[in-house]
Amino acid sequence: MDLLNAIVALSNFVLVPAIAYGSQLALGALGVTLIYGILRFSNFAHGDTMAFGTMATILFTWWFQSLGISFGPLPTALLALPLGILGCMAIVLLTDRGIYRFYREQKAKPVILVIVSMGVMFIMNGLVRVIIGPDDQNFADGDRFIITAREFREMTGLREGLALKSTQGITVITAVIVVALLFWFLNRTRTGKSMRAYSDNEDLALLSGINPERVVMITWLIVAALATVAGVLYGLDKSFKPFVYFQLLLPIFASAIVGGLGSPVGAIAGGFIIAFSEVTITYAWKKVLTYLLPEAWQPDGLVQLMSTDYKFAVSFVILLIVLLVKPTGLFKGKSV
Amino acid sequence: MIKVKDLHKHFGGFHAVDGANLEIAEGSITGLIGPNGAGKTTLFNVIAGVLEPTAGRVTMAGKDITGLPPHELFHKGLLRTFQIAHEFSSMTCRENLMMVPGNQSGERLWNTWFGRRRIANEERALRAKADEVLEFLTIEHLADHRAGQVSGGQKKLLELGRTMMVDARIVFLDEVGAGVNRTLLNTIADAIIRLNKERQYTFVVIEHDMDFIGRLCDPVICMAEGRVLAEGTLAEIKANEQVIEAYLGTGLKNKVNT
């Protein structure tokens, strides 16, 4: 019984949140990795692209809510999501046409594009704050829980409860669908193959008649969709605050680099590695250990390796280790 | 077919191509020879749109093509291969070939979702064509191997195969024979001759192997220091004093004479 209680406590506080957070990071990291693979620079504006897409989705959600449209037990934001994606696509294409294309034509070095993307980041960041304000916005509605801790306890008779938030369920299901669609697209369709070809060998792709501008445009469209989905899922699960999305850039980049920049599989693996390490290292293990250890060994303290304030430090330590030991990342991306 | 006029390509103070003038006749297999650093590959790169010329003009069938990007030249039927074979390493040899023809309907996002049948038909035709090309090049057994893993010589064949996937008008081959064994070299030479005869491809071939050049090329153009030194049949070129001094050396001259 103690073992079961320990497992449930572990699932409730570590596994479930880490899987949800990992899915969000993975979707974000996929966007970073695609830009890196195809446009060959690290897009620092990705966090704020996510914020912009989420903001657009929130605005549409509010509009739907004011019209009295709802999605039953599911959050209205899911209905607004396609519109939010379109909004994000528009701004991303606009920045590409207006800014990045100029540097592409100059054949600017990646490092210059990185700095340019930082500029874009600050502009987008400001834009989002001007439009929706710097504060927390709550836009989740619909059922809060798939199963609450109390229902679970009553159902199983265990002392520990397992709460499953509906946003966590939605996150995982959406992430699986989006990733499946993306991989189908990259591996099975001609457009996806052109993208892979362009990422693999740019010179040859050009000499094979692949139109670089089209590949770049499609990449941006996909990245905008991924960023919006990732941002909305994160916002539903926690809350939306522009500054938090700016900070999310760090674990997202850590995920993409740990998995290997340019490798979509790596981005997903990296997302989960970062999420699981952040959650396990900042979790207070006392509860789980109380069930598992004999009474004499039971810990007095919280057995928390690090306070949650340091969670970003965790991703950076992992990032440093990976860069030292295996600079191309776990799935052999391009070296940074 | 292709006319190059007063072409210059400078890298800083270094004049890689320094006022090259040449003309490539339609339907010919023109050989381009010269010592290393003569500017042959740079000339290819400028013609193929990889590099912008510093000065000068390139025309194709009377139309100015100077500075056009490679993918547009590709659609005009101008193709090239690389000195060091390029390939999409994570794709199979067959997929490499199937990448080539541009403007496939599957490249449009709309068709990706709503034109599945059209794409499927197109892919089937392409697949058959790719298999045919692989067989022609005697590497049909490599169809499902990853292109990154096949040998250097086989990659060279794949490069040539790429040009066979579309109706090219002119193909620039940059040292197709380098690092390739004799048997494979003969296969390549046969393929070039057949493509030239049957499909009226015009070829421009950079090569250091004089036997290969002698078997295929007429005329032969010799470059040195970014300029065209001489043009004519291989025998004429071999007899040219300037060429001997700049490239072939006296050893070969003696050999030719004996």
Side-chain angles (χ1 to χ4, degrees):
Chain A
M1 207 50 128
D2 275 356
L3 185 67
L4 276 181
N5 272 321
I7 292 171
V8 170
L10 186 72
S11 313
N12 191 26
F13 294 107
V14 177
L15 297 183
V16 171
I19 288 172
Y21 182 43
S23 315
Q24 291 149 8
L25 283 186
L27 289 177
L30 274 173
V32 167
T33 250
L34 282 181
I35 294 284
Y36 190 89
I38 304 222
L39 286 103
R40 287 157 229 278
F41 71 94
S42 303
N43 182 15
F44 277 23
H46 197 74
D48 288 292
T49 310
M50 281 167 63
F52 190 93
T54 314
M55 178 200 72
T57 311
I58 292 176
L59 295 179
F60 281 114
T61 309
W62 287 344
W63 185 52
F64 281 166
Q65 284 168 344
S66 73
L67 292 177
I69 301 171
S70 84
F71 203 7
L74 294 171
T76 317
L78 285 186
L79 273 184
L81 185 61
L83 294 171
I85 289 176
L86 287 181
C88 190
M89 283 174 171
I91 189 97
V92 156
L93 281 190
L94 212 67
T95 48
D96 184 61
R97 286 289 141 84
I99 300 163
Y100 294 119
R101 182 148 78 175
F102 171 79
Y103 291 96
R104 222 169 23 248
E105 276 163 8
Q106 313 289 309
K107 297 200 165 60
K109 294 202 172 69
V111 108
I112 294 176
L113 280 163
V114 168
I115 305 297
V116 170
S117 80
M118 284 181 75
V120 173
M121 170 183 88
F122 286 120
I123 293 172
M124 257 196 210
N125 196 314
L127 201 63
V128 171
R129 285 174 203 220
V130 165
I131 297 176
I132 205 168
D135 304 322
D136 252 318
Q137 312 288 347
N138 195 352
F139 63 105
D141 53 5
D143 287 347
R144 293 270 296 131
F145 288 97
I146 296 173
I147 186 166
T148 63
R150 199 153 112 224
E151 283 169 0
F152 185 86
R153 272 199 296 269
E154 283 165 5
M155 211 165 71
T156 56
L158 290 170
R159 269 182 35 220
E160 284 301 319
L162 177 67
L164 207 56
K165 285 200 286 181
S166 48
T167 51
Q168 289 167 332
I170 291 168
T171 296
V172 173
I173 292 169
T174 315
V176 168
I177 294 172
V178 167
V179 167
L181 273 179
L182 180 70
F183 277 79
W184 171 79
F185 183 81
L186 287 179
N187 290 319
R188 289 271 169 269
T189 70
R190 164 77 196 185
T191 320
K193 280 183 189 164
S194 317
M195 282 173 64
R196 277 170 54 210
Y198 190 80
S199 158
D200 191 339
N201 192 328
E202 187 180 351
D203 292 335
L204 185 57
L206 294 182
L207 292 166
S208 308
I210 291 172
N211 182 346
E213 285 301 315
R214 181 143 80 211
V215 170
V216 166
M217 187 186 81
I218 290 171
T219 308
W220 278 118
L221 292 179
I222 293 174
V223 166
L226 285 170
T228 311
V229 172
V232 168
L233 291 177
Y234 186 85
L236 278 175
D237 199 18
K238 304 199 165 98
S239 77
F240 175 77
K241 192 179 184 185
F243 184 66
V244 172
Y245 279 66
F246 166 71
Q247 280 190 325
L248 262 186
L249 191 63
L250 308 177
I252 283 176
F253 260 93
S255 313
I257 294 171
V258 165
L261 271 173
S263 154
V265 184
I268 295 168
F272 283 103
I273 290 172
I274 297 289
F276 268 89
S277 356
E278 267 190 23
V279 176
T280 46
I281 290 178
T282 57
Y283 173 61
W285 287 88
K286 180 173 180 174
K287 192 169 233 169
V288 175
L289 292 179
T290 335
Y291 285 118
L292 289 180
L293 298 175
E295 208 147 328
W297 293 3
Q298 276 179 10
D300 300 323
L302 285 171
V303 206
Q304 186 179 17
L305 291 176
M306 256 193 254
S307 136
T308 44
D309 297 335
Y310 295 113
K311 65 176 182 182
F312 286 133
V314 176
S315 23
F316 275 89
V317 171
I318 296 172
L319 183 58
L320 280 180
I321 294 171
V322 168
L323 285 180
L324 281 174
V325 178
K326 207 159 183 277
T328 52
L330 300 175
F331 284 83
K332 272 204 192 147
K334 298 171 176 149
S335 63
V336 193
Chain B
M1 181 85 193
I2 293 270
K3 252 187 215 165
V4 175
K5 222 172 159 227
D6 262 335
L7 200 72
H8 287 262
K9 177 66 199 179
H10 302 171
F11 298 103
F14 173 62
H15 297 190
V17 177
D18 196 13
N21 282 296
L22 55 99
E23 200 171 318
I24 290 146
E26 181 144 21
S28 71
I29 304 179
T30 306
L32 191 57
I33 61 171
N36 292 323
K40 305 182 297 286
T41 299
T42 309
L43 180 71
F44 265 32
N45 280 336
V46 173
I47 296 175
V50 179
L51 298 172
E52 291 248 347
T54 313
R57 293 254 145 267
V58 183
T59 56
M60 179 171 169
K63 285 194 199 98
D64 194 343
I65 57 162
T66 323
L68 283 184
H71 69 276
E72 284 181 28
L73 291 172
F74 171 89
H75 292 297
K76 289 184 188 297
L78 189 153
L79 275 66
R80 70 162 296 187
T81 67
F82 291 93
Q83 187 168 4
I84 298 155
H86 282 35
E87 74 287 330
F88 300 126
S89 50
S90 65
M91 297 184 189
T92 67
C93 290
R94 188 191 282 124
E95 281 178 318
N96 260 268
L97 292 181
M98 286 171 66
M99 274 315 297
V100 176
N103 279 335
Q104 296 176 20
S105 47
E107 265 173 60
R108 313 210 170 250
L109 266 186
W110 178 261
N111 289 336
T112 302
W113 306 95
F114 303 105
R116 317 255 338 126
R117 176 166 305 168
R118 194 153 117 226
I119 294 172
N121 289 336
E122 218 171 89
E123 292 258 295
R124 203 170 309 124
L126 269 182
R127 202 186 155 90
K129 193 164 183 185
D131 285 341
E132 206 177 288
V133 168
L134 288 169
E135 200 174 328
F136 182 90
L137 296 171
T138 65
I139 48 171
E140 64 269 27
H141 55 287
L142 297 174
D144 292 314
H145 286 247
R146 281 193 174 195
Q149 291 166 347
V150 303
S151 81
Q154 289 161 336
K155 282 181 190 170
K156 293 266 179 185
L157 283 176
L158 203 57
E159 287 257 347
L160 193 62
R162 199 168 285 123
T163 68
M164 297 165 63
M165 288 298 292
V166 283
D167 290 319
R169 297 175 62 195
I170 179 156
V171 180
F172 290 82
L173 302 175
D174 198 347
E175 298 199 13
V176 268
V180 171
N181 74 41
R182 284 278 141 192
T183 337
L184 215 51
L185 200 61
N186 281 330
T187 315
I188 292 176
D190 290 342
I192 291 172
I193 290 169
R194 254 183 82 182
L195 288 172
N196 178 255
K197 289 255 154 55
E198 290 171 14
R199 297 218 222 160
Q200 283 80 43
Y201 280 19
T202 305
F203 280 99
V204 184
V205 186
I206 293 183
E207 195 44 74
H208 286 295
D209 184 323
M210 285 305 135
D211 295 336
F212 188 74
I213 290 277
R215 194 179 151 200
L216 287 177
C217 302
D218 183 37
V220 176
I221 296 171
C222 180
M223 277 183 82
E225 290 166 9
R227 271 181 292 255
V228 173
L229 208 58
E231 187 182 340
T233 62
L234 186 63
E236 285 165 12
I237 292 282
K238 275 180 173 171
N240 187 311
E241 289 296 328
Q242 277 177 301
V243 175
I244 292 164
E245 196 180 314
Y247 179 44
L248 298 173
T250 43
L252 195 86
K253 185 185 168 194
N254 295 339
K255 216 168 121 190
V256 173
N257 290 344
T258 48

